[in-house]
Amino acid sequence: MALDAGPDTAPSLAEEVGLTFAEVGGMDDVKKLLHRMIILPFVRPELYAKYNRSAGGGVLLYGPPGCGKTLLARAIAGECGLPFFSVGIDDVVSPFQGQAELNVSEIFAQARDLRPAVVFIDEIDAIGYARQRAQGEMGRRLTNALLQELDGVGRSTEGLLVLAASNAPWDVDSALLRPGRFDRRVFVPPPDEAAREAILDVRLRGVETSGVDLRTLARATELFTGADLRATVERALDEVIETVLDTGEEIPVGQQHLTAALAQVTPSALDWLARARDYVEFSNASGQWADVESYLGQRAVRRRLTGR
Ligand SMILES: Nc1ncnc2c1ncn2[C@@H]1O[C@H](COP(=O)(O)OP(=O)(O)OP(=O)(O)O)[C@@H](O)[C@H]1O
Ligand SMILES: [Mg+2]
């Protein structure tokens, strides 16, 4: 080893998150739930200990893509002022025998060294897929490595907050969902009106606008995801640029550009919700998707889904 190599450690995977709930627009119900379920037990462990209520185990955030799961996970770390370790499935899946488990244990080891800390496992359903595919062997070892880490979370590893996210919670390896593991699940629905307004605001920041009424646009974009809203704004910007190129006149972005653009974007949460409805109908016997079910039952959602 070179003399000047310093301590023999892997590069730190920790991230400092500046983001808090204040930067997450709307989503008041989800924020409140996360506050009760995750943040309070974490910042007031003595209260939970007094009532003999263990705060261990992981929390699974699930819902349609582009609706704020990753954003919320980061904001939870930011709210608690904790270092954030993000485990993308691509980070851990490795073609080298045994490497995937090593990566998982390296991340957890680093998080424990720095604890209290948040470990976030994104797209956790992909591990289940890896298990089914040709790399079945690796998927199984990866799941086992993860289970081992998770089972430690309630005990020696106190001070680790383990969050996971999935668009397809029904595909998550059921071993990962058992009590003490990701047994607490939070549905992150499509952004509500206030969240849509916040997302549009962020997307239009730094762009010259004239007469743009975000509230009206937010109202007209029910079931649009963050990604759909981004696509809407991008379409409107393209239209404006096109006009500038045609006329040579540099115009600001107006409400009409955005209204025209949103008519061309299909809210992508519709697909997800239709799929979710099937799962809820056929496999909600244990009530595990009750939150999705009640969301689907909302009048506005039902109307969009069934056209009635
Ligand atoms: N409530 C919100 N306030 C502000 N921005 C939001 C909100 N919800 C989503 N966004 C923005 O929308 C985009 C998608 O959000 P995010 O990446 O958190 O979604 P996700 O649920 O993790 O999606 P995926 O399942 O594809 O990973 C991001 O740019 C995010 O900043
Ligand atoms: Mg995400």
Side-chain angles (χ1 to χ4, degrees):
M1 203 214 296
L3 280 176
D4 60 353
D8 183 18
T9 50
S12 171
L13 302 164
E15 227 182 289
E16 209 177 296
V17 184
L19 185 80
T20 65
F21 275 173
E23 279 88 12
V24 180
M27 318 291 280
D28 289 341
D29 293 347
V30 178
K31 283 188 210 166
K32 187 169 169 198
L33 183 65
L34 292 173
H35 193 258
R36 283 280 153 76
M37 187 188 275
I38 304 178
I39 297 175
L40 266 187
F42 208 78
V43 297
R44 297 195 52 196
E46 77 293 343
L47 177 69
Y48 289 75
K50 185 174 165 193
Y51 292 98
N52 205 9
R53 181 81 177 88
S54 119
V59 177
L60 174 68
L61 307 174
Y62 70 94
C67 293
K69 295 183 296 294
T70 301
L71 190 70
L72 284 163
R74 301 176 65 86
I76 289 168
E79 283 282 320
C80 300
L82 300 179
F84 185 75
F85 290 82
S86 179
V87 186
I89 219 53
D90 294 337
D91 302 333
V92 293
V93 169
S94 157
F96 303 107
Q97 175 96 7
Q99 187 61 41
E101 304 96 283
L102 276 184
N103 292 345
V104 167
S105 56
E106 168 67 24
I107 290 163
F108 274 84
Q110 284 199 16
R112 282 197 186 99
D113 280 348
L114 274 186
R115 75 176 182 242
V118 174
V119 177
F120 175 57
I121 304 161
D122 214 351
E123 295 181 59
I124 194 165
D125 48 280
I127 294 179
Y129 281 133
R131 189 157 151 162
Q132 286 158 23
R133 282 199 317 253
Q135 308 115 314
E137 183 55 27
M138 184 186 60
R140 190 157 38 245
R141 287 202 313 267
L142 195 54
T143 308
N144 287 338
L146 199 53
L147 288 177
Q148 214 164 13
E149 301 294 347
L150 284 175
D151 288 346
V153 162
R155 303 192 306 266
S156 57
T157 48
E158 261 168 89
L160 272 201
L161 199 54
V162 187
L163 308 174
S166 174
N167 301 323
W170 18 80
D171 289 335
V172 173
D173 197 317
S174 59
L176 288 167
L177 297 178
R178 281 194 204 118
R181 295 165 181 173
F182 291 102
D183 52 354
R184 291 174 297 166
R185 285 156 235 172
V186 176
F187 176 47
V188 181
D192 57 20
E193 199 177 301
R196 296 197 296 274
E197 191 174 331
I199 297 168
L200 286 168
D201 185 48
V202 167
R203 289 288 150 211
L204 283 167
R205 206 162 282 168
V207 178
E208 197 192 337
T209 60
S210 169
V212 168
D213 175 3
L214 293 182
R215 175 78 46 89
T216 302
L217 291 167
R219 227 172 262 151
T221 44
E222 185 137 32
L223 295 191
F224 276 54
T225 66
D228 298 334
L229 293 166
R230 173 194 281 190
T232 302
V233 170
E234 279 169 3
R235 246 172 212 275
L237 296 179
D238 284 346
E239 191 54 44
V240 171
I241 291 168
E242 191 73 14
T243 309
V244 173
L245 290 176
D246 282 347
T247 64
E249 191 198 346
E250 294 192 4
I251 54 166
V253 179
Q255 185 82 347
Q256 73 278 16
H257 300 116
L258 289 155
T259 309
L262 74 84
Q264 295 169 52
V265 175
T266 312
S268 58
L270 275 179
D271 254 5
W272 191 92
L273 290 167
R275 226 169 332 125
R277 188 180 48 185
D278 293 341
Y279 281 99
V280 165
E281 261 172 36
F282 294 108
S283 65
N284 198 31
S286 57
Q288 57 178 336
W289 312 120
D291 292 343
V292 182
E293 193 171 27
S294 85
Y295 181 82
L296 289 169
Q298 288 178 17
R299 238 176 69 212
V301 178
R302 230 175 31 223
R303 203 176 319 129
R304 294 236 39 168
L305 269 176
T306 60
R308 273 179 279 132

